[in-house]
Amino acid sequence: MVEAARWAPSSSNLQPWCFLFSYKNDPAFSAIFSAMVSFNQLWVKTAPVIGLALGITHDPKGNPNNSYLYDLGQAVAMLSIQAISEGLYVHQIGGFDRDAVATQLNIPLTCSVVTAFTVGYRGNPEVLHPNLLKLELSPRRRKPLDEFVFDGSFGNKASFL
Ligand SMILES: Cc1cc2nc3c(=O)[nH]c(=O)nc-3n(C[C@H](O)[C@H](O)[C@H](O)COP(=O)(O)O)c2cc1C
């Protein structure tokens, strides 16, 4: 998974990312878990691993890197797809207190805590809290393509759709 992330493309090949992993029952896992909103704690508690996706906000010359978020997102996408091909699953998480995590895990100011993610095997949904079970079993939804794939001019449904 991290090898897949390593090969993600990035602006000027700056690779503006770091990943910090924590394992269940370790202090780092507890620190990240405690910083999560209670909704996320309901299901994250069963995960064996929580990772943090960190973005390096500036280039080596000290200038802001305007594409660090885009690049980090691509690296996480690669990591997630690789996870699935290894029989694992990644669930990304934005609902947590990033400042608390940064302080407790000694994350330098050069890095922005962007997202957390769990890594694990898909479990039996029946063990989920009832509020989560409904979500888990509801159909996955996405916008239709004609809402966001255009040609010619903005808003014009692409002719190949
Ligand atoms: C940046 C980001 C933040 C997310 N934050 C959370 C979160 O805090 N809690 C959660 O349960 N899911 C979170 N998700 C998961 C999304 O809710 C999920 O990808 C989306 O609902 C689509 O779900 P599906 O792929 O199962 O259809 C997050 C996903 C991303 C990419």
Side-chain angles (χ1 to χ4, degrees):
M1 286 168 54
V2 288
E3 184 66 12
R6 187 166 85 93
W7 281 100
S10 58
S11 177
S12 302
N13 202 17
L14 287 177
Q15 304 159 62
W17 49 66
C18 290
F19 296 97
L20 191 161
F21 287 91
S22 69
Y23 315 106
K24 203 173 191 108
N25 302 322
D26 281 357
F29 187 103
S30 306
I32 305 170
F33 182 83
S34 307
M36 289 198 177
V37 298
S38 52
F39 170 80
N40 285 330
Q41 288 181 339
L42 280 178
W43 61 270
V44 171
K45 65 182 178 199
T46 61
V49 173
I50 311 175
L52 290 178
L54 310 174
I56 300 171
T57 57
H58 288 68
D59 70 18
K61 291 183 183 157
N63 298 315
N65 178 350
N66 295 327
S67 69
Y68 85 91
L69 283 172
Y70 185 92
D71 297 342
L72 174 65
Q74 293 208 85
V76 174
M78 301 281 182
L79 178 147
S80 303
I81 293 166
Q82 185 66 31
I84 287 170
S85 82
E86 307 274 353
L88 286 158
Y89 201 79
V90 164
H91 191 133
Q92 298 182 62
I93 305 164
F96 67 104
D97 181 342
R98 292 162 173 78
D99 292 339
V101 163
T103 305
Q104 289 185 61
L105 302 185
N106 302 318
I107 293 167
L109 291 174
T110 49
C111 282
S112 169
V113 179
V114 179
T115 47
F117 56 91
T118 54
V119 186
Y121 295 97
R122 293 196 84 152
N124 174 8
E126 299 302 327
V127 304
L128 287 169
H129 185 279
N131 296 351
L132 294 173
L133 181 62
K134 198 170 160 224
L135 266 177
E136 182 68 16
L137 299 181
S138 60
R140 299 179 69 215
R141 292 184 198 285
R142 295 294 188 267
K143 292 179 190 174
L145 289 169
D146 58 9
E147 276 191 26
F148 64 94
V149 183
F150 311 135
D151 63 12
S153 68
F154 188 89
N156 191 52
K157 175 182 164 183
S159 51
F160 58 80
L161 290 177

